[in-house]
């Protein structure tokens, strides 16, 4: 089971779109994929037409169980997405209260990692969609994953946000035994705008080693897919956005290896 986290402390840079973009492709390729929404706003949960304000079982149930010293089977927190082979562990609004509650409790940094260990046989891939905030939730995601994907919008404010994210990463990694490979993914690239062209240039000059060689273009069909509640891979299979996410996925798989069953159904 491969666990990838999609994170950036800057909001609105394409984290959720990247999660569902890659997740749809993985399931289309026959890989059993779990998407985890750990953003209290629950954009990914809403994408699949579940309501984070009223959902009963969610990622929050895992944290609550640890706090209450009870056991919850993570398999009971999985929801269908309407796409075969693609499941969702949704977010609930209550996640927003965690930092206040969890600060006092030991072991809260490994809640997701421990839960995923119990789903090992069930999935080939797990993608964790983070909130744009450094807190116990992002710490959990970084502790659980073996690959980090950092979407960065190609505009100047977002570059500043990237610096902040990399600083955070350095701090968090000090607590980890092993290193965490990360890939910076330029998103919402519009070749007609100066901001996109110039900021991509800066990214390429500054972050060569960790920067993905491609880019995700602005593609309004990605927005349409989210309105339809269908992963882009199924909504617009031949689209520019999907084609860019396919390139990204192929490069990531080549870099970090593939699970045994990869390629089934392709
Ligand atoms: N490549 C793209 N082309 C066009 N629109 C995009 C693209 N990527 C994302 N969007 C749109 O931009 C908005 C923000 O994207 P998204 O929700 O994925 O960002 P996010 O980083 O998850 O935001 P947040 O920090 O709020 O969780 C959404 O409306 C999404 O549909
Ligand atoms: Mg999001």
């Amino acid at each position: 089971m491969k666990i990838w986290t999609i994170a950036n402390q800057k909001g609105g840079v394409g984290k959720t779109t990247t999660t569902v973009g890659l997740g749809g492709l993985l399931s289309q390729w026959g890989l059993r994929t779990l998407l985890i929404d750990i953003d209290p706003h629950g954009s990914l949960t809403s994408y699949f037409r579940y309501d984070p304000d009223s959902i009963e079982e969610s990622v929050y149930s895992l944290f609550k169980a640890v706090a209450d010293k009870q056991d919850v089977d993570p398999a009971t927190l999985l929801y269908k997405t309407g796409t075969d082979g693609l499941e969702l562990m949704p977010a609930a609004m209550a996640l927003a209260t965690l930092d206040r509650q969890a600060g006092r409790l030991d072991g809260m940094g490994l809640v997701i990692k421990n839960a995923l260990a119990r789903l090992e046989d069930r999935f080939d891939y797990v993608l964790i969609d983070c909130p744009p905030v450094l807190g116990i939730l992002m710490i959990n995601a970084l502790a659980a994953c073996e690959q980090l994907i950092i979407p960065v919008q190609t505009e100047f404010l977002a570059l500043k946000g990237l610096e902040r994210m990399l600083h955070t990463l350095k701090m968090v990694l000090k607590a980890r035994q092993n290193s965490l490979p990360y890939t910076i993914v330029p998103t919402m690239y519009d070749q007609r705008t100066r901001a996109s062209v110039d900021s991509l240039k800066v990214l390429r000059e500054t972050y060569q080693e960790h920067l993905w060689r491609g880019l995700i273009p602005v593609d309004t069909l990605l927005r349409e897919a989210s309105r339809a509640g269908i992963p882009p891979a199924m909504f617009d299979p031949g689209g520019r956005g999907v084609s860019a996410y396919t390139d990204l996925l192929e490069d990531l798989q080549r870099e970090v290896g593939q699970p045994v069953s990869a390629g089934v159904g392709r």
Side-chain angles (χ1 to χ4, degrees):
M1 185 167 81
K2 300 268 174 213
I3 305 172
W4 294 355
T5 287
I6 296 87
N8 191 333
Q9 277 157 279
K10 175 111 179 59
V13 295
K15 294 181 289 295
T16 301
T17 304
T18 298
T19 305
V20 75
L22 295 176
L25 286 166
L26 285 164
S27 60
Q28 201 173 55
W29 294 1
L31 294 157
R32 300 163 305 165
T33 304
L34 171 63
L35 306 181
I36 307 188
D37 189 0
I38 60 166
D39 184 349
H41 286 116
S43 306
L44 181 64
T45 301
S46 305
Y47 193 113
F48 293 110
R49 304 292 187 265
Y50 296 105
D51 181 1
D53 295 348
S54 61
I55 200 146
E56 300 230 331
E57 302 298 340
S58 70
V59 175
Y60 182 71
S61 315
L62 295 174
F63 288 88
K64 189 169 184 314
V66 173
D68 296 346
K69 297 198 167 47
Q70 282 176 351
D71 185 50
V72 61
D73 179 357
T76 62
L77 310 177
L78 306 177
Y79 290 66
K80 291 188 178 3
T81 64
T83 292
D84 279 348
L86 188 67
E87 290 181 69
L88 172 74
M89 192 184 286
M93 209 173 59
L95 283 171
T97 63
L98 267 188
D99 274 299
R100 215 169 348 113
Q101 297 169 14
R104 296 170 270 122
L105 297 162
D106 280 348
M108 278 298 187
L110 297 176
V111 173
I112 292 183
K113 187 183 170 90
N114 294 339
L116 288 179
R118 295 168 68 180
L119 295 173
E120 174 80 44
D121 297 334
R122 216 174 147 134
F123 295 103
D124 299 307
Y125 275 89
V126 179
L127 307 183
I128 309 176
D129 182 22
C130 284
V133 197
L134 173 65
I136 191 76
L137 288 157
M138 197 195 284
I139 301 276
N140 260 270
L142 293 175
C145 73
E146 67 228 32
Q147 169 76 33
L148 171 63
I149 298 164
I150 310 178
V152 178
Q153 189 176 350
T154 42
E155 51 107 39
F156 277 102
L157 278 179
L159 297 189
K160 198 84 206 138
L162 174 61
E163 276 174 39
R164 206 168 304 131
M165 180 65 215
L166 292 176
H167 178 69
T168 296
L169 186 62
K170 216 161 153 188
M171 279 180 357
V172 173
L173 288 187
K174 274 192 191 154
R176 267 176 74 119
Q177 306 292 357
N178 50 355
S179 64
L180 176 59
Y182 64 90
T183 303
I184 298 164
V185 177
T187 61
M188 298 185 222
Y189 183 78
D190 183 349
Q191 61 184 12
R192 294 164 306 181
T193 69
R194 183 91 192 253
S196 269
V197 174
D198 287 356
S199 55
L200 183 65
K201 191 160 167 261
V202 172
L203 281 173
R204 288 195 168 144
E205 284 163 4
T206 320
Y207 301 103
Q208 280 166 359
E209 198 189 331
H210 292 281
L211 184 72
W212 177 46
R213 63 185 176 88
L215 47 89
I216 307 296
V218 166
D219 179 355
T220 49
L221 281 162
L222 292 173
R223 241 172 262 155
E224 294 298 320
S226 105
R227 205 164 301 142
I230 300 168
M234 289 76 191
F235 184 78
D236 181 32
R240 292 189 314 145
V242 172
S243 152
Y245 277 116
T246 306
D247 288 347
L248 173 62
L249 184 55
E250 285 175 352
D251 283 350
L252 286 169
Q253 282 194 325
R254 208 168 300 132
E255 232 165 80
V256 296
Q258 300 183 32
V260 184
S261 56
V264 177
R266 279 197 74 187

